[in-house]
């Protein structure tokens, strides 16, 4: 399998090269030269596999065996997902129907897919645990094939540099800590990320990990990183590599849980599967995906195109609703007002970077099943279109044709969810247990309430809204992706649950929840751990100075290692 740029002006690359490149030199994103289709018997044969085995079968379609042989690929998957604390890696749980009797909406088939059992308790671990191992694997092999002279340091190494406003930095650090031939520098805006996230990152004291706190905003940090990457001499000398969400390997890694959760849903609901005679007869599923940069939901699109029977993908946004507005109107444009700060900060974006990949398929004329008439020429035109659209989105935006919009709507629906609705959902799903307890003579019915983190709450509210419009389709299983543990966003969670407490909860003995009641123990214990962080003062926001100082830190640290 080879990879081409959405902008059409970069050479086609192998998987390995696409992973190290990140962004294509023409500014585009890498996509596979075709989307592989998995045959029905093959999908059926995956039903009983455990997570790493399933993932390795799936990834095989995108990585040539000459690049990574079968055994190594399986080992990479086993290593990557063994750091998850749940035996299923990403378990599926049923949500209670909190509307039962109060509203005519069929929520009996609502589930959450918990993607947060990795080392940093956020879904980005699924991808970044894998990417860290991939980097190490490829570098180790390059050094073996191209050894240095005796007594010298190894020739092939990289310096990962990134900026974070929260979850990405932590997941990247945990994915790369202790990896051979990799140093990682993660910049964060001092005092402007949540305390859990800051403690999580700075308590990683491995030799190859450098937390850099910069006086300024997240945008300042990101600008500094961009400047470093655009300095070609510096970039080449220090072998800079990026791990942001446009890296193809991250999207690929995320397709795994779409397939895995499909089989979990069938098992949970005792749906027979092995004997399905045709694609059309397979049980359908839909996913609600809390969306920021569109990486997670894009992975769902690839799963659908590969043959997973996905009925619909729900794009769930917060107030930063560029994608929801696009699906409503066909126009993709930045809001006039800048980024809105919401209770789901990992989705606070202006423009979703990975949407470019989706737009390329739409520009090629693809619908649910692709476009069997696509030729080289169609692809050249699609890339030209992408170049135009991506220019336009920087200013006034662009509008697609009615046909293109219909093609998008054949795959996606969308909903924008406000902070008030987010808080309300956290409240409803938690307090439901007390209503059950009161209404039942069987006191054991007081099933523990489910605690949604704010990002997950956005996906649940979006699912409720869409399911409400799909009365006839009520039998379809709807899976809400749960992208973070509530313990990562404790302030929002405690406020949602401990305020506006329903009367029935007090009657049934509700007591306010505390951080330690619902946070994983590792997060509670972060407070006492030793921390390491390099602070970069900018003398009151001088970005030139920030850049110079960060550059100096990288040079110094990297030279001391190599
Ligand atoms: C990154 C993130 C998201 C958004 O994922 P995208 O792939 O950028 O759409 C949602 N929730 C959480 C908790 C995240 O960390």
């Amino acid at each position: 399998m080879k990879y081409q740029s959405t902008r059409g002006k970069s050479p086609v690359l192998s998987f390995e090269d696409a992973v190290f490149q990140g962004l294509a030199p023409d500014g585009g994103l890498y996509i596979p030269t075709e989307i592989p289709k998995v045959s029905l018997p093959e999908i059926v044969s995956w039903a009983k596999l455990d997570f790493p085995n399933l993932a390795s079968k799936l990834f095989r379609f995108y990585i040539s065996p000459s690049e990574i042989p079968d055994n190594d690929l399986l080992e990479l998957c086993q290593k990557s997902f063994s750091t998850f604390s749940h035996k299923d890696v990403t378990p599926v749980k049923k949500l209670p129907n909190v509307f039962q009797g109060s509203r005519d909406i069929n929520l009996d088939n609502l589930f959450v897919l918990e993607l947060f059992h990795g080392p940093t308790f956020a879904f980005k671990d699924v991808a970044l645990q894998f990417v860290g191992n991939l980097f190490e694997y490829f570098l180790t092999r390059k050094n073996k094939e191209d050894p240095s002279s005796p007594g010298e340091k190894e020739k092939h190494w990289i310096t990962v540099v990134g900026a974070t406003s929260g979850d990405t930095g932590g997941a990247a650090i945990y994915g790369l800590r202790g990896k051979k031939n990799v140093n990682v520098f993660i910049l964060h805006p001092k005092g402007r990320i949540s305390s859990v996230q800051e403690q999580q990152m700075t308590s990683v004291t491995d030799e190859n990990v450098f937390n850099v706190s910069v006086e300024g905003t997240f945008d300042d940090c990101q600008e500094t990183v961009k400047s470093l990457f655009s300095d070609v001499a510096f970039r080449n000398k220090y072998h800079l590599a990026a791990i942001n969400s446009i890296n193809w390997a991250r999207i690929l890694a995320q397709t795994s849980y779409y397939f895995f959760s499909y089989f979990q849903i069938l098992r949970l609901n005792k749906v027979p599967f092995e004997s399905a005679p045709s694609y059309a007869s397979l049980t359908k599923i839909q996913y609600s995906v809390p969306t920021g940069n569109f990486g997670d939901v894009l992975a769902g699109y690839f799963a659908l195109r590969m043959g997973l029977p996905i009925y619909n993908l729900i794009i769930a946004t917060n107030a930063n609703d560029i994608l929801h507005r696009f699906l409503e109107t066909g126009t993709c444009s930045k809001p006039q007002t800048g980024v809105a700060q919401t209770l789901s900060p990992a989705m606070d974006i202006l423009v979703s970077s990975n949407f470019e990949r989706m737009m390329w398929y739409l520009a090629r004329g693809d619908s649910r099943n692709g476009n069997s008439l696509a030729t080289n020429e169609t692809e050249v035109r699609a890339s030209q279109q992408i170049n135009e659209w991506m220019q336009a989105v920087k200013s006034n935006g662009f509008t697609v044709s009615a046909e293109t919009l219909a093609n998008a709507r054949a795959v996606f629906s969308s909903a924008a969810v406000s902070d008030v609705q987010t808080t309300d959902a956290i409240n409803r799903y938690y307090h439901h247990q007390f209503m059950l307890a009161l209404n039942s003579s069987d006191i054991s019915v007081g099933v523990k309430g489910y605690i949604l983190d704010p990002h997950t709450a956005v996906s649940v509210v979006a699912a409720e809204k869409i399911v409400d419009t799909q009365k006839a389709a009520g039998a379809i299983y709807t899976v809400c992706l749960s992208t973070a543990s509530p313990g990562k966003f404790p302030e929002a969670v405690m406020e949602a649950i401990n305020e506006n407490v329903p009367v029935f909860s007090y009657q049934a003995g509700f007591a306010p929840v505390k951080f330690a009641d619902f946070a994983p123990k590792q997060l509670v214990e972060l407070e006492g751990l030793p921390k390491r962080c390099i602070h970069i003062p900018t003398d009151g926001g001088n970005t030139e100075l920030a850049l110079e100082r960060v550059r100096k830190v990288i040079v110094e640290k990297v030279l001391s290692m190599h």
Side-chain angles (χ1 to χ4, degrees):
M1 177 65 83
K2 297 282 188 212
Y3 292 86
Q4 69 191 66
S5 164
T6 48
R7 308 256 174 123
K9 294 196 184 81
S10 299
V12 167
L13 296 184
S14 66
F15 175 76
E16 175 173 350
D17 290 339
V19 169
F20 280 114
Q21 271 283 340
L23 194 68
D26 60 10
L29 311 189
Y30 287 106
I31 47 175
T33 49
E34 61 186 298
I35 302 180
K37 190 102 188 153
V38 191
S39 72
L40 182 60
E42 178 133 31
I43 295 189
V44 171
S45 76
W46 293 353
K48 294 204 171 85
L49 296 180
D50 67 8
F51 197 98
N53 272 286
L54 174 69
S56 74
K57 294 262 192 271
L58 189 58
F59 299 169
R60 178 79 294 156
F61 281 86
Y62 291 92
I63 310 169
S64 309
S66 61
E67 289 196 68
I68 308 179
D70 282 353
N71 279 344
D72 291 4
L73 187 56
L74 178 58
E75 245 172 60
L76 279 169
C77 291
Q78 281 166 336
K79 195 169 165 193
S80 302
F81 302 120
S82 68
T83 54
F84 283 67
S85 61
H86 197 282
K87 69 173 174 28
D88 287 338
V89 181
T90 60
V92 164
K93 306 214 169 127
K94 175 134 178 38
L95 280 177
N97 183 349
V98 296
F99 286 118
Q100 211 144 37
S102 66
R103 227 173 101 191
D104 176 26
I105 155 171
N106 187 343
L107 284 176
D108 286 337
N109 285 322
L110 202 58
F111 297 81
V112 280
L113 170 55
E114 293 184 347
L115 302 173
F116 57 73
H117 294 279
T120 73
F121 307 100
F123 96 102
K124 290 186 172 69
D125 288 329
V126 178
L128 285 163
Q129 288 291 304
F130 180 63
V131 171
N133 286 316
L134 268 183
F135 278 161
E136 186 178 58
Y137 175 82
F138 285 134
L139 288 168
T140 303
R141 189 167 64 191
K142 280 190 205 200
N143 280 316
K144 221 185 258 167
E145 288 167 355
D146 178 20
S148 36
S149 344
E152 295 220 316
K153 294 269 167 68
E154 297 201 279
K155 273 188 196 165
H156 297 275
W157 48 270
I158 55 170
T159 306
V160 171
V161 183
T164 189
S165 58
D167 273 349
T168 311
I173 286 172
Y174 276 75
L176 296 170
R177 66 188 299 180
K179 297 288 179 234
K180 286 196 286 289
N181 300 307
V182 179
N183 286 310
V184 51
F185 296 81
I186 298 293
L187 278 57
H188 71 261
K190 185 175 162 58
R192 292 183 194 235
I193 61 174
S194 84
S195 117
V196 171
Q197 287 169 331
E198 196 212 293
Q199 297 192 45
Q200 198 171 41
M201 291 199 292
T202 56
S203 60
V204 176
T205 54
D206 297 59
E207 270 208 303
N208 70 328
V209 172
F210 302 95
N211 279 286
V212 182
S213 77
V214 182
E215 215 183 285
T217 64
F218 167 64
D219 288 327
D220 295 340
C221 292
Q222 196 146 31
E223 275 313 308
T224 304
V225 171
K226 275 193 193 156
S227 306
L228 292 170
F229 273 87
S230 54
D231 178 346
V232 178
F234 184 81
R235 180 179 174 161
N236 291 342
K237 182 162 183 202
Y238 294 96
H239 312 292
L240 296 197
I243 31 96
N244 41 19
S245 75
I246 50 106
N247 198 306
W248 167 253
R250 285 183 59 176
I251 309 297
L252 175 59
Q254 291 169 13
T255 56
S256 56
Y257 47 72
Y258 285 94
F259 279 86
F260 194 71
S261 62
Y262 179 68
F263 302 123
Q264 288 169 295
I265 286 287
L266 297 187
R267 272 196 296 277
L268 263 177
N269 294 288
K270 304 198 165 50
V271 180
F273 176 63
E274 282 79 356
S275 56
S278 68
Y279 268 127
S281 67
L282 293 179
T283 301
K284 300 275 192 297
I285 191 168
Q286 68 183 344
Y287 291 91
S288 180
V289 190
T291 303
N293 271 326
F294 202 77
D296 205 358
V297 63
L298 181 74
Y301 176 71
F302 275 90
L304 178 156
R305 290 287 302 273
M306 291 179 80
L308 195 67
I310 296 177
Y311 173 76
N312 180 31
L313 289 166
I314 301 167
I315 297 171
T317 76
N318 61 24
N320 297 289
D321 61 351
I322 183 167
L323 295 170
H324 175 58
R325 286 185 290 112
F326 171 75
L327 278 162
E328 294 273 287
T329 63
T331 296
C332 191
S333 65
K334 286 194 291 201
Q336 304 296 314
T337 45
V339 182
Q341 309 273 324
T342 72
L343 292 176
S344 41
M347 296 152 63
D348 289 348
I349 49 89
L350 218 47
V351 177
S352 312
S353 50
N354 267 299
F355 197 50
E356 175 166 345
R357 287 186 165 112
M358 189 62 231
M359 290 310 299
W360 188 88
Y361 291 104
L362 290 173
R364 192 176 67 165
D366 284 28
S367 186
R368 267 190 82 87
N369 302 314
N371 175 9
S372 56
L373 301 176
T375 60
N376 279 347
E377 242 165 81
T378 338
E379 298 207 345
V380 170
R381 273 204 305 275
S383 291
Q384 279 164 356
Q385 184 73 81
I386 290 296
N387 279 293
E388 282 165 32
W389 281 343
M390 293 305 132
Q391 268 309 315
V393 89
K394 288 187 195 157
S395 48
N396 293 331
F398 63 88
T399 302
V400 300
S401 70
E403 191 191 346
T404 302
L405 183 57
N407 285 340
R409 286 177 178 165
V411 175
F412 302 102
S413 28
S414 67
V417 176
S418 69
D419 274 355
V420 171
Q421 292 169 326
T422 304
T423 300
D424 175 63
I426 299 171
N427 184 286
R428 282 188 284 119
Y429 282 85
Y430 186 73
H431 286 284
H432 183 67
Q433 61 183 317
F434 298 106
M435 183 166 9
L436 290 183
L438 270 193
N439 290 345
S440 173
S441 51
D442 174 6
I443 39 175
S444 69
V445 162
V447 197
K448 255 181 107 187
Y450 193 85
I451 302 190
L452 303 166
D453 105 283
H455 304 79
T456 310
V458 168
S459 74
V460 170
V461 174
E464 290 174 352
K465 290 186 187 197
I466 298 296
V467 171
D468 208 10
T469 66
Q470 289 174 326
K471 296 221 163 70
I476 288 176
Y477 299 111
T478 302
V479 177
C480 303
L481 270 52
S482 173
T483 49
S485 157
K488 284 206 91 169
F489 300 94
E491 291 83 9
V493 167
M494 287 192 283
E495 198 174 319
I497 291 176
N498 296 339
E499 289 177 19
N500 295 317
V501 176
V503 175
F504 60 74
S505 293
Y506 282 126
Q507 289 168 341
F510 162 77
V513 293
K514 298 185 295 295
F515 181 49
D517 296 340
F518 60 89
K521 145 171 139 304
Q522 291 91 326
L523 291 182
V524 178
E525 288 169 357
L526 279 173
E527 198 91 55
L529 297 178
K531 312 270 166 24
R532 198 167 65 131
C533 187
I534 300 163
H535 179 56
I536 304 284
T538 61
D539 301 1
N542 182 339
T543 47
E544 284 297 309
L545 198 64
L547 177 60
E548 273 332 296
R549 288 180 174 166
V550 170
R551 194 195 299 264
K552 195 158 157 267
V553 164
I554 295 177
V555 170
E556 220 170 78
K557 300 293 177 193
V558 170
L559 288 183
S560 77
M561 312 280 283
H562 295 283

